[in-house]
Amino acid sequence: MDAKDYESTEFYSYKFKNFSTMIIIPAAILVFLVFIGSFFAMRQSTVSSVGVIEPVSVIKQKAANYDEGQIVTKHGQKWVAHIDQDDAVNLMPMIAAKKKVKIITYVPSNKVSTIKKGQTINFSVPTGDGLTSRLIGKVREIGVYPVNINKQSGYEIISTAKINDENVKYGMQGNATIVTGSSTYFEYFLDKVLNKR
């Protein structure tokens, strides 16, 4: 081998690549980029629950001369009749005309303190054929005392959402996620570390 080959950097970099140049330096750069990214990447704090779609307003009628699903015009608006088990008639606004629904959900007592009026609620409901309709609304009312639902206590949260899917019906259940706040990942991890001390 020529003596000039021993002096070339190509020879030494090929023959003597060490562990630090191959693993440690790229890993350190990756950790540094993740650390810098944690200052800019946002994380949402959420409360999840199961919710149900209800009408925004209901007119109760005592008369029993309505059929289930009958369309009634009242106060210049179209309503659909629903007959309860006790033969009471509830007139509910047609979703296609109102374009607005109420979402009722219940959250446990240890999470209700993070929920405030005006927070965003994301509601997803399966509408058939593997499709999911997503509604976005705002929290309007927060219960002041827990109620028992399925042998568990929870606070009632009432939200309203606009609707643009004709497949969504009253009484459908889905997953509700209320966005209670947002922070950077750096703030989140810092809070976790400080809380452990």
Side-chain angles (χ1 to χ4, degrees), residues 115-121 137-142 158 178-179:
I115 298 174
K116 306 284 186 279
K117 288 182 181 179
Q119 289 177 334
T120 301
I121 182 170
K138 297 286 183 186
V139 173
R140 297 296 177 214
E141 296 177 34
I142 302 167
I158 299 175
I178 300 171
V179 180

Side-chain angles (χ1 to χ4, degrees), residues 9-21:
T9 55
E10 291 179 5
F11 175 79
Y12 284 103
S13 66
Y14 175 75
K15 286 289 186 182
F16 301 105
K17 278 186 179 176
N18 58 24
F19 182 74
S20 65
T21 58

Side-chain angles (χ1 to χ4, degrees), residues 95 102 128 136 140 163 174 180:
I95 293 181
K102 185 164 51 174
I136 299 174
R140 297 296 177 214
I163 189 167
T180 58

Side-chain angles (χ1 to χ4, degrees), residues 17 47 60 69 73 84 116 126 135 142 152 156-157 159 176 183:
K17 278 186 179 176
V47 174
K60 295 191 178 291
T73 302
D84 283 340
K116 306 284 186 279
L135 310 178
I142 302 167
Q152 294 181 348
E156 184 180 59
I157 308 296
S159 310
S183 63

